Amino acid sequence: MAASTEQAAQQMLTVLEKTVSQNQNDQKQAMDYIAAACQQDFPVFVQCLSMILRTQQCESFVRQAAGLQLKNVLCAKETETRTGYLQRWLQLTTEVREQVKQNVTGTLGTEPSRPSIAAQCVAAIACAELPQNLWPNVIQLLKSNVTEPASGEMLKESSLETLGYICQDIDPRHLEAKANDVLTAIIHGMRPEEGSANVRFAATNALLNSLEFTKTNFDNEAERNIIMQVVCESTNNPDQRVKVASLQCLVRIMQLYYEHMLPYMGSALFQITLGAMKSQEPEVAMQGMEFWSTVAEEEFDLYMAYEDDVERGVENPQCSSRRFMEQAASHVCPVLLEAMAHHDDGDDEDDWTPAKAAGVCLMLAAQCVRDDIVNYVIPFFKHFQNPDWKYKEAAIMAFGSILDGPDPKKLLPMAQEALPAIVAAMCDKNVNVRDTAAWALGRVIDTCSELANNAELLQSVLPALSNGLHQEPRVANNVCWALVSLVKACYESAVANGTDGTGQPETFALSSVFDPMVNELIKITDRADGNQSNLRITAYEALMELIKHSPKDCYSAVRNTTVVILKKLESLLQMESQATSEADKAQVRDLQAMLCATLQSVTRKMQPVDIPAVGEHIMNGLLQIMNRAAATRSNAVMEEALLAVACLAEHLGKGFINYMNVLKPYLLQGLANVDETQVCAAAVGLVTDLSRALEADIMPYMDEMIEKLIFCLQAPKLDRNVKVVIIGTFADIAMAIESNFERYLNTVVPILNDAQNAAVVTDPNDDDQVDYVDRLREACLNSYTGILQGFKASPDIAATRMTVKAFVESIISLIVRVSSMEPVPPSESLMATTAGIIGDLVGIYEGEIVRFFTSDNVNNMLQVGRKSKVGKTKSMANWATKEIKKYTSNGAAGFNFNR
């Protein structure tokens, strides 16, 4: 190393010593120096840090500090920052990079402390270089460190830690070719012959992180047997860390390689995991339960896939479930039930415990095993009357947990029998029992909604719920949701008995107590302890659901609630100005957001005749909220306020024009807020609702809106899903302003063209990408459809044809791409939209354009659409087919894009 670099390293050594100084000023100066050194001469900076990290004569804490600083300039969580760090590293000369790599790999095994900071540095560099085909021998080097007989415990442990970090952070594709070397090192470290528990723990963790890219090894029976043997043997390790990590490996293996597990289930996995569930060590027990939860989830998904194949008419559908859960349920369920009864009164609500893990596992098992679960759980219901609150609570929890599995008709008699005990438990002296009883009551009503029509039952349930609202916040929280379940069940039952043209029933079973229920919930929002257990927010959410599911004879409650909410909004504005602490201000802002959301519910339910009378009051309140939210940058409040304005606009229709001038600044500000996805999305949605409400009257404001929408589409930071919504918004704008949209064609059409060209599936196995491309294509076609229909409203057909012709080629190009059905077929919704725009184009250009839609691909897509079970897809495909046939044989001239 050059003399200047050595001097810099010596200076850096002194600075690093001060990073742990008790003197805050010294500490700040040291960190400022480090930041400046990184910016001024990055090559020398990383060389110095790696040199100090490797130097064993340095104090341990100084080496750790050097390693930490080095790691922090090599990797970051944020994608943008991480990309910048990667480029900076790769721009270093080969000499500098090699020197740093020699230093960090040379540090492995020499650190006196755990975990190894050098391991993190080596992994960070490997993750940067391996995808670039650099440092090809790093995996071989780490393998040698583990397998060489002369390697010491610390060297093996830190090398395995490095492999674990690499496997965790790198794209699996870049390690698939090196999977054998990785596994060789890991399996060597996990062998029973390895005497160090630390080495075996590091190896097991590395295996856990490597499982995703070892598919080839698991497909090979001999290699799979070796891996499974080593993992199963490791579950017997006396070191709890190794035992837990080994069980975690089994969970992940079951998730990734379920189809290969049959030979191992009866001989090893069943006994290992059942024993783990019975362990007195919570971490061990929870991994055993996680294993069976995973089994249940996998088998439930396989069964659902099978049912989907049956429904779609797939020939000879096969269910590939091995039915492990079904066969093991009689053994697993008793262990789960017993575990649910073993928890402490002082358990924190947020702590994950074996009792909670057992409850989740039982719920998943019920979904998987279905009706049979009842036979394994019924004996435990004797504990409904157990004086030991733990068993009583566990029995109620078990009852609520299995309700998603069996046929509701089979559950109904059991629910009727259990309900009195559950209602009685809501008055139990133990808060855990009352809390679980309130939760279970809601679950019962959700599942067996017929019970809500039982007048005798309501007489016992309603007082219990009313009483529960005034109990501890955690109990009242669950009571709120139980109330919602009850109201929904009664409402749906009333709807089934008949509605008028509005779709609302005249009355329902709770009409006589609806007003008191609403008033009780409003009182709950004012409880002093309402911030505990999220009670206040839950009460508002429950209030919204009650308003949404109110029959016509409860309309007075809707009107009264509107007045109450407006008064609360006014008082909250005063409260915010008086709040001093950040916590108090945040709580007030949360309430403002909830009140805006509640206003949405009451506005949707208001009768048209009442909207104008209260509209001005609602809008004035919302304007005050938006003004305050803009000043304090309260994004959640602004989002809900914009959504509430959209709801009001929808109901006021053209009458909303009176508020456009005062709304415009907040709307444009929301559209420009690309850093806050939800606010921007709410503003985009408001543009759509305003377009539908105001129609052509929105034209004076449209230039600025279009300008902001284009700005959003060009913003790199804005979530791509919001951009899809914006693309679709042009449809509503075009249909609102009709031929006036010609003003924006030269701006919007190139954007649609760019979007459809970018809508390409490159990886058919990437579900997120497939879904995104499908939605983007549909948004483009919807916008084209909106533009076409907007121009079709003009009586001048010839002018419409000439205007639209400028972008017909783009539309046809997208139709051709969608109808190819490759590499993945379009969704039902996209297929319907595509068929619809084919019909629109044929309607405009008649026989001139038909030849583009008589190809095999288009015919095949429309044939699939005509056979669809989705009504819209079927009707659109039939309509498009008829339009095409109408003009196929009339010998009209072909369409010329350039004419």
Side-chain angles (χ1 to χ4, degrees):
M1 185 180 286
S4 60
T5 307
E6 290 181 357
Q7 290 173 357
Q10 190 59 47
Q11 178 65 31
M12 182 63 70
L13 181 63
T14 305
V15 172
L16 288 169
E17 289 173 345
K18 292 183 179 179
T19 58
V20 293
S21 169
Q22 297 300 310
N23 185 313
Q24 288 192 345
N25 191 44
D26 285 350
Q27 202 176 80
K28 183 180 183 304
Q29 287 181 353
M31 297 308 295
D32 289 344
Y33 178 92
I34 289 169
C38 179
Q39 291 295 323
Q40 290 167 9
D41 196 338
F42 185 69
V44 170
F45 180 70
V46 292
Q47 284 176 295
C48 291
L49 291 176
S50 67
M51 180 182 176
I52 295 168
L53 175 62
R54 186 173 186 177
T55 304
Q56 296 184 45
Q57 289 77 18
C58 291
E59 292 279 356
S60 175
F61 77 88
V62 175
R63 295 177 70 193
Q64 275 194 302
L68 183 62
Q69 294 300 328
L70 180 58
K71 177 188 78 84
N72 287 344
V73 298
L74 293 174
C75 58
K77 290 182 179 179
E78 297 79 14
T79 303
E80 198 173 329
T81 307
R82 186 167 63 247
T83 302
Y85 284 3
L86 171 64
Q87 293 304 317
R88 182 173 63 181
W89 171 259
L90 294 175
Q91 286 167 7
L92 293 173
T93 64
T94 302
E95 181 185 1
V96 170
R97 285 190 286 109
E98 287 301 320
Q99 189 167 36
V100 174
K101 288 189 285 190
Q102 286 175 18
N103 283 334
V104 293
T105 54
T107 305
L108 295 173
T110 70
E111 298 162 280
S113 57
R114 292 185 173 94
S116 166
I117 190 69
Q120 297 178 51
C121 294
V122 175
I125 297 171
C127 288
E129 295 203 353
L130 283 172
Q132 311 298 323
N133 295 317
L134 302 171
W135 210 5
N137 65 331
V138 62
I139 301 297
Q140 178 63 40
L141 171 67
L142 295 169
K143 183 184 83 168
S144 298
N145 285 350
V146 177
T147 58
E148 285 291 331
S151 295
E153 176 187 357
M154 291 297 287
L155 179 59
K156 290 191 284 186
E157 181 185 350
S158 57
S159 297
L160 285 163
E161 281 181 18
T162 307
L163 284 170
Y165 293 137
I166 294 172
C167 294
Q168 177 180 279
D169 295 334
I170 203 168
D171 187 324
R173 291 175 297 177
H174 299 304
L175 271 188
E176 284 174 353
K178 304 178 189 299
N180 287 335
D181 284 340
V182 172
L183 277 176
T184 298
I186 290 172
I187 298 301
H188 188 89
M190 289 179 69
R191 294 172 309 145
E193 294 85 355
E194 173 56 59
S196 167
N198 290 323
V199 171
R200 294 187 70 179
F201 176 55
T204 310
N205 258 338
L207 178 64
L208 180 61
N209 291 330
S210 73
L211 287 168
E212 201 163 330
F213 60 83
T214 55
K215 183 180 186 305
T216 303
N217 306 90
F218 266 87
D219 286 343
N220 182 301
E221 184 179 358
E223 293 182 27
R224 182 171 72 242
N225 287 340
I226 293 171
I227 298 170
M228 292 301 296
Q229 180 181 346
V230 171
V231 176
C232 289
E233 287 174 346
S234 292
T235 62
N236 293 320
N237 195 290
D239 188 295
Q240 186 182 327
R241 298 172 305 158
V242 178
K243 186 189 289 283
V244 171
S246 301
L247 288 164
Q248 287 174 325
C249 286
L250 290 181
V251 172
R252 189 71 176 133
I253 288 168
M254 178 57 73
Q255 191 176 50
L256 292 171
Y257 306 113
Y258 171 90
E259 69 275 15
H260 293 309
M261 290 300 104
L262 182 59
Y264 313 104
M265 181 58 80
S267 60
L269 299 181
F270 173 73
Q271 291 297 338
I272 288 170
T273 53
L274 195 67
M277 287 198 299
K278 296 176 181 178
S279 172
Q280 296 303 306
E281 296 293 339
E283 290 299 322
V284 174
M286 286 191 290
Q287 286 308 316
M289 294 166 191
E290 183 67 21
F291 177 87
W292 285 102
S293 291
T294 302
V295 171
E297 285 181 305
E298 290 297 313
E299 296 188 338
F300 178 75
D301 289 345
L302 289 170
Y303 187 78
M304 294 305 293
Y306 165 72
E307 284 197 332
D308 186 50
D309 285 347
V310 172
E311 188 176 331
R312 289 189 295 114
V314 173
E315 191 174 344
N316 298 321
Q318 300 292 321
C319 182
S320 50
S321 170
R322 301 291 188 179
R323 298 166 58 198
F324 294 141
M325 189 75 243
E326 185 179 328
Q327 297 173 68
S330 61
H331 302 279
V332 170
C333 289
V335 180
L336 294 175
L337 292 166
E338 192 63 29
M340 289 169 68
H342 287 78
H343 60 96
D344 297 326
D345 202 359
D347 282 346
D348 191 286
E349 284 184 62
D350 297 324
D351 286 346
W352 190 241
T353 63
K356 291 176 182 176
V360 169
C361 189
L362 183 65
M363 190 177 294
L364 293 168
Q367 292 174 359
C368 185
V369 177
R370 303 195 173 193
D371 287 357
D372 288 347
I373 196 73
V374 174
N375 301 326
Y376 308 129
V377 180
I378 275 184
F380 198 73
F381 294 158
K382 65 184 179 185
H383 295 297
F384 279 157
Q385 309 302 330
N386 196 318
D388 184 337
W389 73 265
K390 293 182 181 180
Y391 277 91
K392 179 187 285 190
E393 192 260 354
I396 297 171
M397 174 68 78
F399 186 80
S401 296
I402 67 165
L403 295 176
D404 279 341
D407 183 338
K409 292 178 181 177
K410 183 170 184 177
L411 283 173
L412 187 59
M414 189 170 67
Q416 288 174 319
E417 188 177 341
L419 214 49
I422 294 173
V423 171
M426 289 184 66
C427 298
D428 196 271
K429 61 183 180 182
N430 187 280
V431 65
N432 295 284
V433 175
R434 285 185 271 117
D435 185 26
T436 301
W439 168 80
L441 181 57
R443 296 267 297 154
V444 169
I445 296 169
D446 267 342
T447 308
C448 303
S449 55
E450 301 96 322
L451 294 172
N453 292 319
N454 186 321
E456 186 180 337
L457 174 71
L458 289 177
Q459 286 181 354
S460 63
V461 168
L462 288 171
L465 290 174
S466 177
N467 179 51
L469 282 174
H470 302 283
Q471 294 182 23
E472 294 88 344
R474 58 186 281 199
V475 178
N477 184 297
N478 274 320
V479 169
C480 285
W481 289 121
L483 265 177
V484 169
S485 297
L486 184 61
V487 170
K488 280 184 177 180
C490 290
Y491 186 81
E492 287 164 8
S493 173
V495 167
N497 289 331
T499 64
D500 62 8
T502 66
Q504 294 184 74
E506 191 66 39
T507 186
F508 73 159
L510 297 173
S511 290
S512 62
V513 294
F514 192 80
D515 265 346
M517 287 166 66
V518 169
N519 291 333
E520 286 288 319
L521 285 172
I522 291 173
K523 287 178 185 176
I524 296 302
T525 65
D526 293 325
R527 274 178 57 160
D529 58 358
N531 59 323
Q532 297 177 31
S533 299
N534 210 36
L535 175 58
R536 185 171 287 113
I537 301 298
T538 303
Y540 274 117
E541 289 174 346
L543 181 60
M544 285 187 273
E545 289 295 328
L546 261 65
I547 296 296
K548 180 180 176 181
H549 296 92
S550 59
K552 293 173 72 174
D553 66 349
C554 295
Y555 181 64
S556 61
V558 175
R559 278 189 312 207
N560 295 338
T561 304
T562 307
V563 175
V564 171
I565 297 302
L566 287 171
K567 286 181 179 177
K568 280 181 172 287
L569 268 178
E570 189 177 331
S571 65
L572 272 178
L573 289 167
Q574 296 173 356
M575 284 174 61
E576 187 182 12
S577 61
Q578 296 167 4
T580 52
S581 71
E582 281 303 315
D584 288 344
K585 290 178 181 177
Q587 191 175 339
V588 170
R589 288 194 288 269
D590 286 345
L591 283 176
Q592 288 173 348
M594 285 308 306
L595 285 168
C596 288
T598 309
L599 270 180
Q600 295 170 46
S601 293
V602 294
T603 303
R604 287 192 184 96
K605 208 72 177 182
M606 292 285 282
Q607 293 177 1
V609 69
D610 290 329
I611 285 285
V614 296
E616 187 169 350
H617 297 293
I618 293 174
M619 193 63 197
N620 286 338
L622 291 172
L623 287 168
Q624 290 181 65
I625 287 289
M626 287 190 287
N627 182 50
R628 189 65 59 86
T632 58
R633 297 183 179 179
S634 306
N635 293 309
V637 178
M638 182 62 82
E639 177 197 351
E640 291 296 345
L642 289 169
L643 292 171
V645 171
C647 189
L648 184 61
E650 181 187 340
H651 282 76
L652 283 175
K654 291 196 172 186
F656 192 83
I657 194 69
N658 298 328
Y659 306 111
M660 281 303 296
N661 287 330
V662 288
L663 171 66
K664 187 176 77 170
Y666 303 112
L667 173 58
L668 296 180
Q669 184 181 352
L671 289 172
N673 196 354
V674 293
D675 290 332
E676 292 295 331
T677 299
Q678 299 304 321
V679 175
C680 188
V684 171
L686 178 53
V687 172
T688 295
D689 288 316
L690 289 172
S691 299
R692 292 173 179 173
L694 299 177
E695 298 178 345
D697 291 348
I698 200 173
M699 194 62 200
Y701 307 94
M702 192 49 67
D703 282 0
E704 289 174 284
M705 289 187 194
I706 292 285
E707 181 185 339
K708 289 298 182 186
L709 291 173
I710 302 301
F711 166 78
C712 290
L713 289 171
Q714 294 171 342
K717 286 186 177 179
L718 185 61
D719 185 281
R720 68 180 188 176
N721 293 308
V722 180
K723 293 183 179 182
V724 172
V725 176
I726 293 172
I727 293 290
T729 297
F730 293 129
D732 296 286
I733 294 172
M735 291 178 72
I737 63 177
E738 298 180 345
S739 58
N740 287 318
F741 196 81
E742 186 172 1
R743 178 184 181 88
Y744 308 111
L745 280 179
N746 290 336
T747 303
V748 172
V749 169
I751 289 173
L752 296 178
N753 200 35
D754 288 345
Q756 72 183 57
N757 289 336
V760 178
V761 174
T762 56
D763 182 2
N765 296 316
D766 184 341
D767 292 341
D768 289 338
Q769 184 192 74
V770 169
D771 176 65
Y772 168 72
V773 168
D774 193 273
R775 287 185 293 106
L776 181 53
R777 288 177 174 179
E778 184 177 359
C780 291
L781 287 173
N782 271 329
S783 282
Y784 285 132
T785 302
I787 296 169
L788 291 178
Q789 293 184 357
F791 280 107
K792 278 173 67 178
S794 168
D796 191 342
I797 300 299
T800 296
R801 288 185 176 188
M802 287 304 298
T803 305
V804 171
K805 183 174 282 191
F807 54 91
V808 165
E809 187 173 4
S810 294
I811 301 176
I812 292 175
S813 172
L814 183 50
I815 291 171
V816 169
R817 188 177 294 175
V818 171
S819 64
S820 73
M821 313 287 275
E822 295 291 340
V824 289
S827 65
E828 293 280 349
S829 183
L830 175 54
M831 206 183 308
T833 304
T834 307
I837 200 166
I838 289 173
D840 284 335
L841 286 172
V842 174
I844 294 173
Y845 293 105
E846 301 178 346
E848 295 179 52
I849 205 168
V850 160
R851 65 188 175 89
F852 294 106
F853 307 132
T854 55
S855 67
D856 289 343
N857 283 346
V858 172
N859 283 333
N860 289 339
M861 183 194 72
L862 292 176
Q863 184 177 15
V864 171
R866 292 194 299 271
K867 292 179 179 178
S868 173
K869 293 182 179 179
V870 177
K872 183 180 179 181
T873 307
K874 187 171 185 175
S875 63
M876 283 295 180
N878 280 324
W879 175 63
T881 302
K882 288 177 183 176
E883 290 294 295
I884 292 169
K885 286 181 178 178
K886 193 188 299 182
Y887 299 103
T888 299
S889 58
N890 67 358
F895 191 91
N896 186 342
F897 291 118
N898 300 315
R899 193 169 61 195

